Amino acid sequence: MPELPEVETIRRSLTPYIVGKRIADVEVYERRFRQRIQRDLEARLRGRSFRRIERRGKYLLFVLDDRQCLLLHLGMSGSLEIRRARDPVVRHDHVRVRLDGRRVLVFNDPRRFGLLRVGNRRELHELDRVGLDPLDDDWSAEQLRRLARGRRRPIKNVLMDQRLLAGIGNIYANEILYQAGIRPTRRAGSLRRRELEALATATVTVLGRAVDLGGSSISDYVDGEGQPGNFQLHFAVYDRYRQPCQQCATPIRRIVLGGRSTFYCPRCQR
DNA sequence: ATATGCACCTGTGTGC
DNA sequence: TGCACACAGGTGCATA
């Protein structure tokens, strides 16, 4: 579910509830994830305080006061929400972090594709493999050119490769390519300088706009306060198979690329 | 280097 | 109603 804009929205919405707060207690109800939740996760968290929340691509990093960090990935269906400590535990609530007082941070994940792990930064090697963040200040067409040069893969696959660019998933790859007027199947290495510039710009504008709108809520995504996002109201192509392109009215096409549904306008994207 | 398929899971929508 | 099936925001691995 969550891509960069949703993860960033969650990060921002949780920050005021989390930063400076002490962890009064931790309850784990389910450890069977793709990567099993550590046996001593509760012990490592209990009594610690949160310094800040960082984001790297689709990962959230909760920095604690003892050089340890809680690394979290929401996978396909994960959510993080602040609730009242007395609220009932519901289906697929797997971890509850009780903050002092009446609040609790709840990790809920029906499909259990998420990841939750405590360690110091060098132990969290998942982060070694995440690429450039397109919302960082140093992101540029020049950077994108380096990533695309010589590659024969479709540009959409390059955008979604987390080792190259961090944070872009299926929704935003489709939307960014539409905004840039580039067909998802184009070989990355074949893009002209002007196209790469348009693509680098589209990356920033689309992701930025999505963050401003609180991300996309298709069926179930909500931020840390339970609020849905609104970017789904502005999809140009994603999930719009056969619907008219908003610029030229040509029906949107759907193909499969890298096993993922891919949507584009055959007229506006060349 | 790259492409494909599958595995990991549950939930939802569709057609019969 | 029930059932089978396709598909879903992600990632990692095995195989070609």
Side-chain angles (χ1 to χ4, degrees):
Chain A
M1 156 192 27
E3 306 180 34
L4 185 154
E6 291 75 33
V7 177
E8 177 62 17
T9 300
I10 290 170
R11 188 190 72 77
R12 292 182 186 182
S13 61
L14 290 179
T15 291
Y17 293 94
I18 293 287
V19 169
K21 296 294 190 331
R22 191 171 156 276
I23 298 171
D25 195 17
V26 181
E27 290 155 338
V28 179
Y29 301 102
E30 177 60 84
R31 294 184 193 276
R32 292 173 301 166
F33 282 71
R34 294 192 70 192
Q35 189 180 320
R36 199 180 166 78
I37 292 183
Q38 294 150 305
R39 204 177 279 289
D40 62 349
L41 181 103
E42 298 94 314
R44 287 179 182 230
L45 293 179
R46 224 172 258 139
R48 302 267 62 87
S49 295
F50 289 110
R51 282 244 165 88
R52 62 181 178 278
I53 315 174
E54 298 177 7
R55 182 185 58 74
R56 296 284 311 278
K58 299 174 192 170
Y59 285 98
L60 285 174
L61 194 66
F62 295 78
V63 181
L64 305 174
D65 60 355
D66 66 343
R67 295 169 169 247
Q68 301 276 303
C69 298
L70 171 63
L71 180 69
L72 196 147
H73 194 294
L74 295 166
M76 199 82 142
S77 60
S79 65
L80 268 182
E81 212 179 325
I82 297 288
R83 300 205 208 127
R84 280 185 283 263
R86 53 206 292 241
D87 289 347
V89 175
V90 302
R91 192 163 168 76
H92 305 308
D93 280 356
H94 303 309
V95 180
R96 288 167 46 103
V97 177
R98 203 149 56 76
L99 309 167
D100 15 78
R102 345 178 269 292
R103 308 267 192 200
V104 61
L105 173 66
V106 182
F107 173 58
N108 180 294
D109 185 4
R111 295 175 76 176
R112 284 186 279 124
F113 290 170
L115 176 143
L116 202 62
R117 207 153 86 73
V118 184
N120 59 42
R121 279 188 194 243
R122 53 178 30 177
E123 290 169 335
L124 300 173
H125 47 262
E126 289 87 350
L127 296 179
D128 301 341
R129 297 194 281 136
V130 306
L132 302 173
D133 192 305
L135 290 191
D136 274 359
D137 294 333
D138 56 351
W139 172 247
S140 65
E142 187 52 38
Q143 301 263 30
L144 178 58
R145 212 149 65 87
R146 272 192 23 244
L147 300 180
R149 187 157 53 201
R151 296 188 192 272
R152 300 178 56 75
R153 314 160 67 187
I155 184 62
K156 177 169 182 257
N157 296 9
V158 169
L159 291 181
M160 290 179 67
D161 187 334
Q162 303 300 302
R163 291 165 306 187
L164 301 177
L165 283 191
I168 300 175
N170 200 32
I171 292 179
Y172 296 103
N174 281 295
E175 294 298 315
I176 288 166
L177 286 163
Y178 175 81
Q179 179 73 31
I182 295 168
R183 200 167 290 209
T185 48
R186 285 281 300 281
R187 294 181 189 278
S190 79
L191 294 179
R192 322 291 261 164
R193 182 179 294 261
R194 297 190 41 180
E195 294 176 311
L196 290 164
E197 281 164 7
L199 189 53
T201 303
T203 303
V204 175
T205 56
V206 170
L207 294 176
R209 180 134 186 267
V211 170
D212 289 343
L213 289 170
S216 304
S217 295
I218 293 178
S219 59
D220 50 8
Y221 157 77
V222 290
D223 73 9
E225 293 180 296
Q227 300 299 309
N230 287 307
F231 190 76
Q232 71 283 0
L233 305 172
H234 300 270
F235 287 164
V237 286
Y238 181 79
D239 207 15
R240 298 202 58 217
Y241 178 47
R242 291 179 170 156
Q243 293 179 233
C245 168
Q246 51 197 213
Q247 285 187 70
C248 74
T250 303
I252 299 301
R253 283 197 192 151
R254 177 186 182 277
I255 59 172
V256 175
L257 258 190
R260 317 297 301 276
S261 283
T262 301
F263 305 89
Y264 68 95
C265 170
R267 178 132 180 243
C268 297
Q269 294 173 262
R270 300 290 182 170

